[in-house]
């Protein structure tokens, strides 16, 4: 692809008129280009390509899912702790009444 095409894709990216395929193509072109014009540097910075220093491929990155088991276990542990604490305090209170 010519440099004119990459600049037109960058313009379309900032105008929010690119399709998903065009945006993926732009990411690939930006990762592969050695040119450092102002608009290319802005597009790289906006798309996060400076921070990652990795090549963009056609693979879709796996979305991170929250750890549901830990969330459930965390709440279960809090409930068990509360019940045990209540049980302990009730035993302590009943011994004082005698």
């Amino acid at each position: 692809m010519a440099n004119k095409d990459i600049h037109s894709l960058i313009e379309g990216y900032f105008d929010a008129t690119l399709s998903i395929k065009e945006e993926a193509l732009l990411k690939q072109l930006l990762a592969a280009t050695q040119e450092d014009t102002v608009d290319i540097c802005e597009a790289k910075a906006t798309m996060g390509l400076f921070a990652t220093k990795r090549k963009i491929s056609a693979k879709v990155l796996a979305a991170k899912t929250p750890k549901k088991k830990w969330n459930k276990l965390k709440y279960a542990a809090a409930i068990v702790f509360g019940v045990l604490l209540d049980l302990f305090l009730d035993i302590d209170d009943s011994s004082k009444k005698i």
Side-chain angles (χ1 to χ4, degrees):
M1 246 185 168
N3 285 340
K4 183 178 180 183
D5 293 334
I6 196 170
H7 293 289
S8 65
L9 285 173
I10 291 171
E11 185 177 331
Y13 175 77
F14 286 117
D15 290 340
T17 58
L18 291 184
S19 67
I20 294 173
K21 288 184 180 182
E22 290 173 327
E23 190 172 327
L25 175 64
L26 177 61
K27 286 181 182 180
Q28 289 176 347
L29 291 173
L30 288 173
T33 189
Q34 297 298 322
E35 190 177 346
D36 285 333
T37 61
V38 174
D39 59 341
I40 288 178
C41 288
E42 287 177 359
K44 283 182 177 181
T46 303
M47 294 178 124
L49 294 174
F50 281 138
T52 59
K53 297 267 184 187
R54 64 184 168 101
K55 297 231 179 204
I56 304 297
S57 65
K59 292 181 182 178
V60 176
L61 298 176
K64 292 185 179 181
T65 56
K67 296 180 180 179
K68 294 178 183 177
K69 290 181 182 179
W70 170 245
N71 285 339
K72 291 178 183 178
L73 183 62
K74 178 173 53 175
Y75 295 122
I79 291 171
V80 168
F81 180 74
V83 168
L84 290 175
L85 187 63
D86 185 48
L87 181 64
F88 176 74
L89 293 176
D90 284 345
I91 291 173
D92 192 33
D93 287 343
S94 64
S95 65
K96 289 181 183 178
K97 292 179 184 176
I98 295 178

